[in-house]
């Protein structure tokens, strides 16, 4: 049943919000092989579905998985090609956490056959649903925007130096969306002063943004990586309603801007 793998809300506007790292579920047989730290799934994009709940009011579709990125990372390619060659990163079935520590107990890492089985069970159904929803919306409207919604702890020395900016917009250096959309989003971010911003910096967009973004074919793809301090307590993973309330109007403006022709 796909409900065990992802939840899809079908909207009416030419906008699909994909939240590939929101899931927290780990099957018992896999969880038993994880380190105690990894069993807490600390590298989850915590509360991102809640953060973007308003998107339904804009008519957007939302696609959200149930399982943790530790089972399989939906924002990596099937062949596990590195998104950032030469830099520390995590893979299709991660064996390192974002802090550099191990995901698995010694000798318990997944084999190539197990990785292939996870791709078949969890990765491919999500991507089939993503591609089908993009096709449905593009057929109905002639164009569609894929908004990749992500978040991450703002300081992770194993992955990047120093403090990550609050908002990190990625469009594969402009290749995954039209120049007009890039300019509109840049203008919205430049007009606000509540959050610091990087565009196509450390985060240029993951596999989904780079693979599905085909502006010449009517699919614009944009990734927004949000530092979690902007809407939650990074030490406890708890939602912070006051912080979120300051951020959500800007997110709404960005999505509304993405809907403009």
């Amino acid at each position: 049943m796909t409900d065990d793998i992802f939840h899809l809300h079908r909207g009416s506007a030419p906008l699909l919000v994909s939240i590939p790292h929101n899931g927290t579920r780990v099957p018992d047989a896999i969880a038993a092989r994880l380190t105690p730290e990894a069993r807490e799934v600390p590298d989850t994009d915590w509360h991102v579905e809640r953060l973007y709940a308003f998107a339904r009011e804009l008519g957007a579709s939302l696609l959200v998985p149930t399982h943790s990125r530790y089972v399989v990372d939906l924002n990596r390619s099937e062949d596990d090609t590195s998104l950032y060659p030469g830099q520390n990163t995590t893979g299709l079935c991660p064996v390192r956490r974002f802090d550099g520590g191990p995901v698995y107990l010694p000798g318990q890492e997944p084999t190539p056959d197990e990785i292939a089985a996870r791709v078949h069970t969890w990765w491919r159904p999500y991507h089939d649903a993503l591609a089908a929803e993009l096709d449905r919306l593009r057929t109905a409207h002639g164009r569609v925007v894929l908004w990749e919604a992500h978040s991450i702890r703002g300081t992770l020395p194993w992955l990047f130096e120093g403090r990550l900016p609050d908002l990190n917009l990625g469009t594969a250096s402009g290749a995954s969306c039209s120049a007009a959309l890039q300019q509109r989003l840049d203008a919205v971010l430049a007009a606000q002063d509540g959050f610091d911003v990087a565009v196509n910096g450390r985060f240029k967009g993951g596999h989904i943004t780079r693979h599905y973004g085909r502006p010449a074919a009517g699919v614009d793809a944009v990734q927004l990586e949000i530092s979690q301090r902007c809407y939650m307590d990074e030490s406890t993973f708890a939602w912070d309603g006051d912080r979120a309330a300051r951020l959500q109007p800007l997110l709404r403006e960005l999505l509304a801007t993405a809907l403009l022709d």
Side-chain angles (χ1 to χ4, degrees):
M1 295 290 291
T2 56
D3 282 351
D4 292 332
I5 300 171
F6 61 81
H7 302 298
L8 173 61
H9 167 78
R10 288 189 173 91
S12 57
L15 175 63
L16 170 58
V17 178
S18 163
I19 314 178
H21 295 148
N22 195 89
T24 58
R25 190 181 304 172
V26 179
D28 290 344
I30 297 175
R33 296 155 53 196
L34 302 187
T35 62
E37 295 83 1
R39 288 173 199 154
E40 301 299 318
V41 291
D43 301 330
T44 301
D45 290 14
W46 296 102
H47 311 297
V48 174
E49 182 180 15
R50 182 176 181 180
L51 191 64
Y52 280 91
F54 67 86
R56 290 174 172 81
E57 300 168 13
L58 298 177
S61 295
L62 279 85
L63 181 63
V64 187
T66 57
H67 285 72
S68 168
R69 71 192 307 152
Y70 287 167
V71 177
V72 66
D73 192 328
L74 301 169
N75 201 28
R76 300 293 185 269
S77 64
E78 285 187 81
D79 62 6
D80 206 11
T81 299
S82 177
L83 294 169
Y84 299 98
Q87 301 181 51
N88 286 341
T89 188
T90 56
L92 179 62
C93 290
V95 296
R96 301 285 291 275
R97 303 190 305 270
F98 285 173
D99 63 6
V103 171
Y104 289 88
L105 297 168
Q108 296 297 311
E109 296 85 355
T111 64
D113 285 347
E114 182 181 357
I115 291 171
R118 293 189 196 183
V119 167
H120 174 76
T121 301
W122 290 289
W123 189 96
R124 197 158 291 129
Y126 188 88
H127 281 266
D128 287 347
L130 178 58
E133 186 64 6
L134 287 174
D135 187 62
R136 181 184 77 84
L137 294 172
R138 181 177 53 181
T139 298
H141 299 279
R143 61 177 288 270
V144 60
V145 175
L146 169 60
W147 190 272
E148 272 288 290
H150 294 260
S151 76
I152 192 170
R153 189 176 303 174
T155 304
L156 285 166
W158 189 71
L159 289 180
F160 46 80
E161 293 183 4
R163 172 189 177 277
L164 192 68
D166 296 330
L167 305 177
N168 301 268
L169 190 75
T171 61
S173 298
S176 68
C177 76
S178 69
L181 176 54
Q182 179 83 64
Q183 290 166 5
R184 293 198 306 269
L185 295 174
D186 289 349
V188 170
L189 293 171
Q192 60 81 40
D193 59 7
F195 303 93
D196 57 330
V197 175
V199 177
N200 288 311
R202 174 61 177 84
F203 293 96
K204 301 179 187 297
H207 169 72
I208 293 175
T209 302
R210 303 182 198 196
H211 178 75
Y212 292 98
R214 296 290 183 269
V219 180
D220 289 314
V222 176
Q223 176 177 299
L224 184 64
E225 187 86 52
I226 301 171
S227 290
Q228 291 175 341
R229 62 175 174 267
C230 296
Y231 68 91
M232 59 175 273
D233 184 324
E234 291 184 325
S235 63
T236 66
F237 309 140
W239 171 264
D240 187 315
D242 291 338
R243 295 184 199 178
R246 290 192 291 271
L247 175 60
Q248 285 174 309
L250 177 58
L251 297 181
R252 180 186 284 269
E253 185 177 2
L254 287 167
L255 291 194
T257 298
L259 283 168
L260 299 174
D261 274 325

